[in-house]
């Protein structure tokens, strides 16, 4: 993150977007559920849509990598968006890492996890996140960015 100023002169809102396991396969993985955009497409769309933000995009198949990034982002970001993939449903370690973060953390899922398999209907992360957006496909990430911009600008 460069800390560069926006055209308006205000500091950019720093947002870290974390994607978890199997989300590198977006575009080809179950397109009827997750859509046809790749993760690179989604990230490029977000970057283009929000020029006043400074994004860090992180993706890992490993629980430890996600936890390390949460620890780092708690110092460097104004807000965090996380799609923890299947870890959502059982990772108390990621939950504990989110609990240790004081900036807002938004949980996002492309699919509506409450309209799918039984095991997906429970998120162990939701209780410790500021909010949850699911079922709106890639648009969910932009909704979360909109929210983070609004709270960051309000609190400034
Ligand atoms: C997901 C939903 C999870 O249940 C699943 O394991 C994923 C993707 C979503 O974005 O809809 O990997 O987080």
């Amino acid at each position: 993150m460069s800390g560069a100023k926006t055209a308006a002169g205000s500091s950019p809102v720093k947002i870290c977007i974390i994607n978890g396991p199997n989300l590198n396969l977006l575009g080809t993985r179950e397109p009827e559920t997750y859509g046809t955009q790749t993760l690179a497409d989604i990230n490029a769309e977000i970057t283009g849509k929000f020029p006043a933000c400074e994004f860090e995009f992180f993706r890992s198949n490993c629980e430890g990598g996600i936890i390390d990034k949460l620890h780092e982002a708690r110092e460097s970001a104004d807000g965090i968006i996380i799609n923890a993939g299947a870890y959502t449903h059982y990772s108390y370690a990621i939950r504990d890492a989110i609990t240790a973060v004081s900036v807002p953390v938004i949980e996002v899922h492309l699919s509506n996890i409450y309209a799918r398999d039984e095991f997906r209907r429970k998120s162990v992360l939701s209780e410790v996140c500021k909010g949850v957006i699911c079922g709106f496909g890639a648009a969910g990430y932009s909704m979360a960015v909109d929210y983070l911009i609004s709270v960051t600008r309000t609190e400034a």
Side-chain angles (χ1 to χ4, degrees):
M1 296 189 187
S2 68
K5 300 282 176 192
T6 60
S10 56
S11 299
V13 179
K14 295 178 183 176
I15 296 176
C16 179
I17 302 187
I18 299 175
N19 281 289
N22 301 307
L23 292 163
N24 52 314
L25 300 181
L26 286 179
T28 54
R29 173 194 181 204
E30 301 174 67
E32 63 292 350
T33 303
Y34 298 118
T36 53
Q37 281 183 297
T38 65
L39 190 58
D41 292 336
I42 293 171
N43 292 348
E45 198 172 279
I46 294 167
T47 306
K49 222 162 157 182
F50 299 100
C53 294
E54 197 172 289
F55 291 103
E56 181 183 8
F57 297 103
F58 177 80
R59 203 216 56 83
S60 177
N61 287 327
C62 305
E63 192 176 29
I66 294 169
I67 292 165
D68 286 343
K69 184 49 67 177
L70 282 163
H71 292 177
E72 207 182 296
R74 76 200 268 267
E75 305 290 340
S76 60
D78 297 312
I80 299 170
I81 296 167
I82 184 164
N83 181 350
Y87 284 134
T88 301
H89 312 299
Y90 65 92
S91 176
Y92 295 114
I94 292 177
R95 177 190 168 111
D96 282 351
I98 293 172
T99 306
V101 173
S102 55
V103 297
V105 180
I106 315 297
E107 177 182 347
V108 167
H109 300 283
L110 296 148
S111 64
N112 179 354
I113 58 171
Y114 300 101
R116 299 187 61 197
D117 324 69
E118 185 69 39
F119 77 91
R120 294 185 206 276
R121 292 183 201 160
K122 180 173 174 56
S123 165
V124 300
L125 310 182
S126 301
E127 276 177 358
V128 296
C129 286
K130 179 74 188 173
V132 183
I133 299 168
C134 77
F136 298 102
Y141 293 99
S142 293
M143 293 176 192
V145 172
D146 269 330
Y147 170 79
L148 290 173
I149 291 171
S150 72
V151 287
T152 305
R153 292 298 182 218
T154 309
E155 286 166 2

